[in-house]
Amino acid sequence: MTEAVSRPTLEAVAARAGVSRATVSRVVNGGDGVREPLVERVRRAVEELGYVPNQAARSLVTRRHDAVAVVIAEPETRVFADPFFALQLRGISKELTAHDSQLVLLLTEGPEDYARVGRYLAGGHVDGALAFSLHLDDPLPGLIRGAGVPTVFGGRPGWGDGPRGDGPTVYVDSDNRGGARDAVRHLVGLGRTRVAHITGPLDQTSAVDRLDGFRDVMVDADPRLIVEGDFTPAGGERAMRVLLDRCPEVDAVFAANDLSAAGALRVLRERGRRVPEDVAVVGFDDMLPVAEGADPPLTTVRQDIEEMGRLMARLLLRGLDRRGRDEDADPGTGKGLGGAPSSVVLPTTLIRRASA
Amino acid sequence: MTEAVSRPTLEAVAARAGVSRATVSRVVNGGDGVREPLVERVRRAVEELGYVPNQAARSLVTRRHDAVAVVIAEPETRVFADPFFALQLRGISKELTAHDSQLVLLLTEGPEDYARVGRYLAGGHVDGALAFSLHLDDPLPGLIRGAGVPTVFGGRPGWGDGPRGDGPTVYVDSDNRGGARDAVRHLVGLGRTRVAHITGPLDQTSAVDRLDGFRDVMVDADPRLIVEGDFTPAGGERAMRVLLDRCPEVDAVFAANDLSAAGALRVLRERGRRVPEDVAVVGFDDMLPVAEGADPPLTTVRQDIEEMGRLMARLLLRGLDRRGRDEDADPGTGKGLGGAPSSVVLPTTLIRRASA
């Protein structure tokens, strides 16, 4: 037996409660101006019938969806391969859940799918967006701006934090430059003189900031001691091979993240260099399974990735609440999160283990 | 300088193209009955102004969102810890992207968040849903049914595949029972006589089916040789300890997935049992980094997890297209995917490596 199961309608609720459609609509959308006994009757009817308001229609009135989109400017394969993203999403998920807002993760295969992401964001499905792992020349920020949804960025966007036509850019970041300085100062403090740097992808501000921190300490660094990596173990391996070929006397390496440090450690072992005796190694992130599980366990710069995610979500939700109070809610104006703090930069900590 | 950036309106497009609002609306929504030269003029105006239709409003007319929700009945921590989900999502993502449909992953902290997921699904934000890793007594299927969106399940749902009020249940699964039989027959063929089974969580049909396959071959299995695991490495370790304590003479183990087999291998090594000489071990999944990286590399039952994801997405999209053609599109009726095949069960293959 096959029969159509249909959802209860607004009309059914109105009939059950003995009130008009307009009254039901006002109660369901949290509007004022309905007497308390009527509100009670409508609520009871909604409950008894299991009525779920059609949010496509409802959102035209309330303009709130209780949902936040998360966009990561990486293909889904990297999102699942790099534990950094899982940690950031964990923080975001906890914070959104605590506010009963749905985390909507928009996955892509690559930048050629960003136009579709922009359409979804513009389509009235979410209250705001959290975007991270942006690259310079990334088309995403433009699409997000075009979509007109309030957005908080993870990591300082490449265009700086000055005022723009659509209000200040709101972001959460770690003190990448300060953390890098601590790492390199630690290596210098160990008496190392040929300190190399395996960078991250230099189209991301986090990688550029860590390189700047390295240069702050190693002012006269031999340019051959700086090799570009890409935040992956394979990139760390490649860079370490280049370093050993160019400069066999290298005695310390600051890798821009733990994953590339793990790759570097593998190559050093393969080439018979002892860590830390011959070459001291420091990473960045302190992602536990990677850093603690490394051989030897990795000295690294800790950033609280989960907390960064939590803060991104908190800044967005606060901004949305403020907006809802201060002005006519109009998610189409692209006004950003006026009044909210424009950025938060979290401190980092050097964690000493066996590798340096 | 801060100025409001506002998105171009339908009116602006109409003015630019020199046509009525209604004509623009019909063209934008792909409707017929507009003469080709007018269609061209509207399209040009849309392009020049960078007009993005408001989908909340638009979807009330077209009832298509070009987006599909994915719901995994596990907390986000497990979604990112178990590579099974990444593989299934990879297949889904590729197939949806090929059809320019946005993958919308709805993450939760646990079952207490499912009501919110149900609201999002009911809210007119997606054309359909893909749900997997369901448990028996899972509230999700009920909420999905209540939301009235066409859905394809990954893994045979616990309620069987008979006809229901809302049409046949559509799912994609592997031949879990047949694969388990192959694994156990292989162990018996090696001359092993005390073959144990570490099960998956028995509130999931995949785990129950693999246990049934084990029993098909080991008809008179000593019940002490069956220990419940939970598809995680830690669960495999616990179960292996119980098995060795209960039955020190155990000479073979069929673990319900590769992750629990990896846990079992660790305990066998710790207790000084040689694999495969003393105890032969077979897993299930053939997740490459896990199975190939195991010590010794794992003999296992391969299921094509990525292909399962791809097929789920394909069945859903096909059903949506058929629906769009055959009947008045009405995502609220919960009629499922009438006319689409009701299920696909993929074959498995035994992959021999060193562990058995």
Side-chain angles (χ1 to χ4, degrees):
Chain A
M1 186 191 74
T2 298
E3 49 175 291
V5 176
S6 55
R7 282 158 51 196
T9 60
L10 193 71
E11 288 74 14
V13 175
R16 177 81 150 223
V19 300
S20 71
R21 259 182 115 273
T23 300
V24 174
S25 175
R26 253 175 291 152
V27 172
V28 163
N29 293 314
D32 306 319
V34 181
R35 284 181 303 120
E36 193 49 43
L38 285 190
V39 171
E40 258 319 294
R41 257 157 68 191
V42 171
R43 291 229 171 104
R44 214 175 314 124
V46 163
E47 216 163 86
E48 285 164 4
L49 295 175
Y51 172 73
V52 180
N54 180 330
Q55 291 204 323
R58 182 177 165 231
S59 72
L60 288 172
V61 181
T62 65
R63 298 187 180 271
R64 273 304 275 267
H65 308 279
D66 294 321
V68 167
V70 175
V71 186
I72 306 176
E74 304 287 350
E76 59 81 21
T77 44
R78 260 216 75 200
V79 171
F80 282 89
D82 187 336
F84 180 93
F85 302 116
L87 279 170
Q88 196 139 353
L89 282 166
R90 184 159 313 161
I92 292 171
S93 174
K94 280 183 184 161
E95 187 69 20
L96 291 182
T97 296
H99 290 84
D100 206 22
S101 188
Q102 180 58 48
L103 195 172
V104 170
L105 178 59
L106 303 179
L107 291 174
T108 69
E109 297 281 301
E112 59 281 9
D113 300 330
Y114 290 171
R116 197 182 59 230
V117 168
R119 285 200 299 278
Y120 198 78
L121 292 177
H125 302 301
V126 293
D127 301 319
L130 302 171
F132 54 94
S133 202
L134 295 182
H135 301 254
L136 301 178
D137 303 321
D138 210 310
L140 256 185
L143 288 164
I144 290 173
R145 238 182 348 264
V149 288
T151 302
V152 172
F153 295 93
R156 179 173 58 82
W159 59 80
D161 59 347
R164 297 175 64 84
D166 45 355
T169 298
V170 184
Y171 68 85
V172 175
D173 205 353
S174 284
D175 181 8
N176 290 303
R177 189 163 180 162
R181 271 191 223 121
D182 290 345
V184 181
R185 265 199 223 105
H186 173 68
L187 290 168
V188 170
L190 294 173
R192 307 296 163 130
T193 54
R194 278 171 295 263
V195 182
H197 180 37
I198 297 175
T199 74
L202 293 174
D203 67 343
Q204 297 197 296
T205 59
S206 56
V208 173
D209 290 353
R210 291 172 203 176
L211 171 58
D212 285 344
F214 172 83
R215 285 187 167 133
D216 286 343
V217 183
M218 307 299 290
V219 180
D220 301 313
D222 180 345
R224 293 177 314 143
L225 286 170
I226 299 172
V227 179
E228 187 168 348
D230 60 2
F231 281 158
T232 72
E237 288 185 15
R238 272 193 305 273
M240 194 66 236
R241 286 206 180 91
V242 171
L243 279 172
L244 287 172
D245 292 345
R246 276 189 194 167
C247 236
E249 68 280 17
V250 58
D251 61 7
V253 177
F254 165 49
N257 75 342
D258 290 347
L259 289 177
S260 50
L265 287 177
R266 250 199 304 278
V267 169
L268 288 167
R269 198 161 46 241
E270 172 192 305
R271 298 271 182 109
R273 307 288 179 112
R274 293 167 306 159
V275 175
E277 294 84 349
D278 301 328
V279 183
V281 177
V282 178
F284 201 108
D285 277 345
D286 196 35
M287 280 196 305
L288 283 192
V290 181
E292 280 187 340
D295 178 19
L298 199 61
T299 294
T300 189
V301 179
R302 176 180 293 167
Q303 59 172 340
D304 193 338
I305 304 167
E306 187 175 327
E307 178 66 12
M308 286 173 69
R310 211 178 288 125
L311 269 176
M312 286 172 69
R314 199 171 299 161
L315 284 183
L316 181 68
L317 293 171
R318 256 193 230 155
L320 292 174
D321 284 349
R322 193 172 291 120
R323 216 170 130 103
R325 276 199 312 273
D326 294 355
E327 39 173 327
D328 232 8
D330 182 357
T333 60
K335 274 190 193 168
L337 298 162
S342 73
S343 68
V344 178
V345 177
L346 295 170
T348 60
T349 324
L350 187 76
I351 304 295
R352 288 209 54 183
R353 295 199 184 88
S355 73
Chain B
M1 186 194 74
T2 298
E3 48 174 292
V5 176
S6 56
R7 284 160 48 198
T9 60
L10 193 70
E11 286 74 14
V13 175
R16 177 80 150 225
V19 301
S20 71
R21 260 183 114 272
T23 300
V24 175
S25 176
R26 254 176 290 154
V27 172
V28 163
N29 293 313
D32 306 319
V34 181
R35 283 179 305 118
E36 192 49 41
L38 286 189
V39 170
E40 258 319 293
R41 258 158 65 193
V42 172
R43 290 228 171 105
R44 215 175 314 125
V46 162
E47 217 162 86
E48 286 163 5
L49 294 175
Y51 173 71
V52 181
N54 179 330
Q55 292 206 325
R58 182 177 165 230
S59 72
L60 288 173
V61 180
T62 66
R63 299 185 180 272
R64 273 302 272 269
H65 309 280
D66 295 322
V68 167
V70 174
V71 187
I72 305 176
E74 305 286 349
E76 58 81 21
T77 44
R78 260 216 75 201
V79 171
F80 282 89
D82 187 335
F84 181 93
F85 301 116
L87 278 170
Q88 196 138 355
L89 282 166
R90 183 159 312 162
I92 292 171
S93 174
K94 282 184 183 161
E95 188 69 20
L96 291 182
T97 297
H99 290 84
D100 207 22
S101 187
Q102 180 58 48
L103 196 172
V104 171
L105 179 58
L106 303 179
L107 291 174
T108 69
E109 296 282 300
E112 59 281 11
D113 300 329
Y114 290 171
R116 196 183 61 230
V117 168
R119 284 200 299 277
Y120 198 78
L121 292 176
H125 302 301
V126 293
D127 302 319
L130 301 171
F132 55 94
S133 203
L134 295 182
H135 301 254
L136 301 177
D137 303 321
D138 211 311
L140 256 186
L143 288 165
I144 290 173
R145 240 185 340 269
V149 287
T151 302
V152 172
F153 295 93
R156 179 172 58 80
W159 59 80
D161 60 347
R164 298 174 63 83
D166 45 354
T169 298
V170 184
Y171 68 86
V172 175
D173 205 353
S174 285
D175 182 9
N176 289 304
R177 188 163 181 163
R181 271 191 223 121
D182 290 346
V184 181
R185 265 199 223 106
H186 173 67
L187 290 168
V188 171
L190 295 174
R192 307 296 163 131
T193 54
R194 278 170 296 262
V195 182
H197 181 37
I198 297 175
T199 75
L202 293 174
D203 67 343
Q204 296 197 297
T205 60
S206 56
V208 173
D209 291 353
R210 290 171 203 177
L211 172 58
D212 285 345
F214 172 83
R215 283 188 168 133
D216 287 343
V217 182
M218 307 300 290
V219 181
D220 302 313
D222 181 343
R224 294 177 312 144
L225 286 170
I226 299 171
V227 179
E228 188 168 349
D230 60 3
F231 282 158
T232 71
E237 287 185 15
R238 273 193 304 272
M240 193 67 236
R241 287 207 179 90
V242 171
L243 278 171
L244 286 172
D245 291 344
R246 273 189 195 167
C247 236
E249 68 280 18
V250 58
D251 61 7
V253 177
F254 166 50
N257 74 342
D258 291 347
L259 289 177
S260 50
L265 286 177
R266 252 199 303 276
V267 170
L268 287 167
R269 197 161 46 241
E270 173 191 306
R271 299 274 182 107
R273 306 291 179 111
R274 294 167 306 160
V275 176
E277 295 83 348
D278 301 328
V279 183
V281 177
V282 179
F284 202 109
D285 278 343
D286 196 34
M287 279 196 305
L288 283 191
V290 182
E292 281 186 340
D295 179 19
L298 199 60
T299 294
T300 188
V301 179
R302 175 181 294 167
Q303 57 173 341
D304 193 338
I305 303 166
E306 187 176 328
E307 177 66 13
M308 287 173 68
R310 212 178 287 125
L311 270 175
M312 286 172 70
R314 200 171 300 163
L315 285 182
L316 181 68
L317 293 171
R318 255 192 231 156
L320 293 174
D321 283 348
R322 194 172 289 120
R323 217 171 131 101
R325 275 200 311 274
D326 294 356
E327 39 174 327
D328 233 8
D330 182 356
T333 60
K335 273 188 189 167
L337 298 161
S342 73
S343 67
V344 177
V345 177
L346 295 170
T348 60
T349 324
L350 187 75
I351 304 295
R352 288 208 54 183
R353 294 198 185 89
S355 72

